[in-house]
Amino acid sequence: MLLESLISLLYVLLIFYISYINCLNLSHHHHHKHHHSPTSLFIFGDSYLDVGNNNYINTSTLDKANFWPYGVTYFHSPTGRFSDGRLISDFIAEHANLPLIHPYLQPGKRRFYDGVNFASAGGGALVETFQGSVIDLHMQLKYYKKVKKWLKNEIGVMKANRRLKRAVYLFSIGTNDYLSPFLKNSSIFLTSYPRYAYVSMVVNNITSVVH
């Protein structure tokens, strides 16, 4: 089980590394090729990347970070980030000359040219992970498809497809899928499936969304 878990973790970290390197390359390219369109950053995941989506869903305080002392060292008030300051996605956006990427569920006029953040604290690759309290990865994908449709309506299909192709996609997901059966005092999934099969379910769900 430990080996499979490590493989799953390394898989997610690899996605993160590739996304980060692509972002650096696109940022460098944009700096020297001003006639190209800016990079967009689309973020999927859990509390490591949630910048406030859970502020706008009906969930418990365990899955929210909209109270003190969150945010005290940089924003000087809680934003929904599970941090006293910025997240790694904020630093990546800054390095790519992008503004802070807003949560998808944030109310107000919605413009997604720079990208958007779908991450939800507690979210997992499996729909059943903390179901009803978080935004799972497949729902995050549905939100992304709505953004794709919005972009195509705003700037046309060809320009939207070019932007989406050149965009950076950042993922951090999977940890909660392994934690939730124990935190909920329920081992239904662990007893219903062999451990290697459960790990494969998590990895396959991530893979299906990435593809």
Side-chain angles (χ1 to χ4, degrees):
M1 178 64 177
L2 177 59
L3 178 60
E4 290 100 343
S5 299
L6 288 174
I7 292 173
S8 179
L9 176 60
L10 288 172
Y11 179 85
V12 176
L13 290 176
L14 178 62
I15 295 172
F16 167 81
Y17 177 76
I18 293 172
S19 297
Y20 180 63
I21 294 301
N22 285 342
C23 192
L24 297 185
N25 290 338
L26 286 171
S27 173
H28 178 77
H29 186 70
H30 172 56
H31 181 72
H32 291 89
K33 301 287 185 179
H34 296 287
H35 60 279
H36 285 181
S37 60
T39 304
S40 299
L41 178 58
F42 296 100
I43 302 164
F44 303 78
D46 49 30
S47 58
Y48 289 110
L49 296 176
D50 186 358
V51 295
N53 279 307
N54 280 16
N55 291 346
Y56 308 107
I57 64 175
N58 183 21
T59 188
S60 70
T61 56
L62 291 175
D63 292 317
K64 288 188 176 183
N66 59 350
F67 50 88
W68 188 89
Y70 293 115
V72 295
T73 64
Y74 183 79
F75 299 100
H76 307 297
S77 63
T79 63
R81 291 167 172 81
F82 280 76
S83 169
D84 63 337
R86 289 173 288 179
L87 304 179
I88 185 64
S89 54
D90 297 319
F91 290 103
I92 291 174
E94 179 182 6
H95 193 87
N97 298 315
L98 291 170
L100 293 177
I101 305 300
H102 294 295
Y104 175 78
L105 295 181
Q106 179 175 294
K109 191 173 184 179
R110 311 174 82 180
R111 301 176 66 83
F112 305 115
Y113 297 114
D114 296 318
V116 66
N117 188 313
F118 306 102
S120 170
L126 303 178
V127 174
E128 295 82 3
T129 297
F130 299 122
Q131 190 170 15
S133 299
V134 299
I135 308 166
D136 65 82
L137 185 58
H138 285 275
M139 181 57 69
Q140 293 179 33
L141 178 62
K142 289 181 181 179
Y143 290 158
Y144 170 72
K145 290 179 178 179
K146 290 183 179 181
V147 171
K148 284 178 63 176
K149 183 177 180 180
W150 180 90
L151 276 172
K152 290 177 181 180
N153 289 336
E154 287 291 311
I155 62 177
V157 173
M158 291 183 63
K159 288 183 178 179
N161 285 339
R162 281 199 300 268
R163 178 177 288 272
L164 293 169
K165 184 178 180 179
R166 296 179 64 246
V168 172
Y169 299 84
L170 180 62
F171 290 78
S172 173
I173 199 82
T175 304
N176 293 305
D177 297 295
Y178 302 124
L179 290 176
S180 61
F182 303 101
L183 294 179
K184 294 191 302 184
N185 196 26
S186 171
S187 59
I188 181 172
F189 290 108
L190 299 183
T191 56
S192 300
Y193 304 96
R195 292 181 178 180
Y196 70 88
Y198 186 80
V199 172
S200 295
M201 285 173 56
V202 173
V203 175
N204 289 339
N205 271 269
I206 296 172
T207 303
S208 68
V209 170
V210 172
H211 287 172

